[in-house]
Amino acid sequence: MPLSTSDFDYIRTFVAGRSGIVLETGKEYLVEARLQPLATRLRLAGIPELVAAMRRTRDRDLERQVIESMTTHETTFFRDVAPWEALQKHVLPRLIQARRVTRQLKLWCAAASTGQEPYSIAMLLADQFPELDTWQVQFIASDLSLEVLERARAGRYSQLEVNRGLPAHYLVKYFTRHGATWEIRPEIRKRVDFQQINLIEPWPVLPAFDIVFIRNVMIYFDTDAKRSILGRIRQRLRADGHLFLGAAETTLNIDAGFARTEYERAGCYRIAA
């Protein structure tokens, strides 16, 4: 049965209110593709029955499953080239030099998904900056979805997933094979503190960060949500810290408190002078 206008409006209002994700008219096909498998798994006749259950029961677990089903978790190891080059060749060397007295570094990956991005950062730190092993490095990786955070904490990936972007020497050095899956080694996994954080709701107490990665997530938010998130990040970013956004994202005309760095293709920003 095609998704009715009433059910679509209910779902998109609910999803926007809970996650900030905007479902514009014309995205009915996406709702059907994401929620029909959930309805089937819950042994419901279809999406109309799923929406009826949401309207009737206000079941928090059902609502959580709907949000998780509607959230995009597309990610790969070392996604895009330019951000990683900027991080390795410019951003980290400068920050390490600036923090030699305190020997502290604080990072946040604010859209961790199933863990490929934060683990990419952790492997880069371990491989290219071994001196940080003696530093106090706090690395928080967060996501809205409990389901993907559970996968991220486990650190287990299929052959297809490790084939997507992961350099071969990192696979050999930092992963252990278990049959058809690859498991990231404990020394890398323990570097990352995975937490659930909903970016459009109140945040927990967070430290002042040196680096924030929030890539390829704000493209799903409306302008007000983007403005709010960027403003809160700016309040938690050290004066010489760096913000990394996705290639299709920008602070331009959203938050004048950020200025793009000279690493133009990296989506890298600093607090404006």
Side-chain angles (χ1 to χ4, degrees), residues 131-180:
E131 65 187 287
L132 293 178
D133 289 346
T134 62
W135 284 38
Q136 181 183 344
V137 178
Q138 183 178 5
F139 187 5
I140 296 171
S142 67
D143 201 274
L144 165 67
S145 170
L146 290 173
E147 183 177 331
V148 299
L149 286 172
E150 186 175 328
R151 279 203 61 204
R153 291 188 186 103
R156 288 189 293 271
Y157 300 97
S158 67
Q159 186 67 56
L160 176 62
E161 287 172 318
V162 297
N163 283 347
R164 298 183 67 196
L166 184 65
H169 74 281
Y170 278 6
L171 179 62
V172 171
K173 189 173 183 178
Y174 296 119
F175 286 78
T176 302
R177 187 166 192 169
H178 297 284

Side-chain angles (χ1 to χ4, degrees), residues 12 29 43 50 53 85-86 104 121 126 137 180 184 203 217 255:
R12 69 174 177 177
Y29 72 92
R43 298 183 179 180
L50 175 66
E85 289 184 345
Q104 294 182 357
I121 297 170
V137 178
I184 199 158
W203 296 354
V217 64
D255 191 320

Side-chain angles (χ1 to χ4, degrees), residues 16-237:
R18 291 296 184 87
S19 70
I21 297 171
V22 177
L23 296 168
E24 299 175 347
T25 301
K27 294 289 186 178
E28 289 87 349
Y29 72 92
L30 181 62
V31 172
E32 291 175 349
R34 297 284 179 85
L35 294 188
Q36 184 57 53
L38 175 61
T40 301
R41 190 164 69 246
L42 295 175
R43 298 183 179 180
L44 299 172
I47 297 176
E49 189 172 338
L50 175 66
V51 173
M54 292 176 67
R55 293 178 188 268
R56 181 177 65 251
T57 65
R58 307 296 296 177
D59 184 319
R60 287 188 176 274
D61 185 59
L62 175 59
E63 292 176 346
R64 177 190 59 78
Q65 292 183 72
V66 168
I67 291 297
E68 295 203 353
S69 296
M70 291 306 306
T71 305
T72 300
H73 302 300
E74 172 64 21
T75 185
T76 63
F77 289 101
F78 295 97
R79 184 175 181 177
D80 304 325
V81 175
W84 303 100
E85 289 184 345
L87 185 66
Q88 177 180 337
K89 296 179 181 179
H90 306 288
V91 173
L92 279 168
R94 289 182 182 179
L95 285 173
I96 289 171
Q97 182 60 36
R99 305 288 187 266
R100 289 206 178 276
V101 174
T102 62
R103 297 169 67 84
Q104 294 182 357
L105 196 65
K106 301 182 189 299
L107 309 93
W108 181 22
C109 180
S113 187
T114 45
Q116 284 93 323
E117 183 168 88
Y119 285 139
S120 295
I121 297 170
M123 287 185 286
L124 178 66
L125 295 179
D127 193 66
Q128 298 296 319
F129 302 94
E131 65 187 287
L132 293 178
D133 289 346
T134 62
W135 284 38
Q136 181 183 344
V137 178
Q138 183 178 5
F139 187 5
I140 296 171
S142 67
D143 201 274
L144 165 67
S145 170
L146 290 173
E147 183 177 331
V148 299
L149 286 172
E150 186 175 328
R151 279 203 61 204
R153 291 188 186 103
R156 288 189 293 271
Y157 300 97
S158 67
Q159 186 67 56
L160 176 62
E161 287 172 318
V162 297
N163 283 347
R164 298 183 67 196
L166 184 65
H169 74 281
Y170 278 6
L171 179 62
V172 171
K173 189 173 183 178
Y174 296 119
F175 286 78
T176 302
R177 187 166 192 169
H178 297 284
T181 64
W182 293 85
E183 183 174 323
I184 199 158
R185 294 185 177 174
E187 61 266 29
I188 297 298
R189 202 161 62 243
K190 70 181 182 182
R191 291 172 179 253
V192 187
D193 175 18
F194 288 100
Q195 301 182 18
Q196 184 190 30
I197 298 177
N198 186 330
L199 293 172
I200 69 164
E201 293 183 353
W203 296 354
V205 175
L206 295 170
F209 291 106
D210 301 293
I211 298 173
V212 174
F213 267 62
I214 180 169
R215 302 179 65 232
N216 306 303
V217 64
M218 287 200 296
I219 54 175
Y220 302 107
F221 298 157
D222 63 24
T223 301
D224 288 342
K226 292 176 185 177
R227 186 173 291 116
S228 173
I229 292 167
L230 287 172
R232 287 193 280 173
I233 288 175
R234 183 161 37 80
Q235 293 171 0
R236 291 162 175 83
L237 191 66

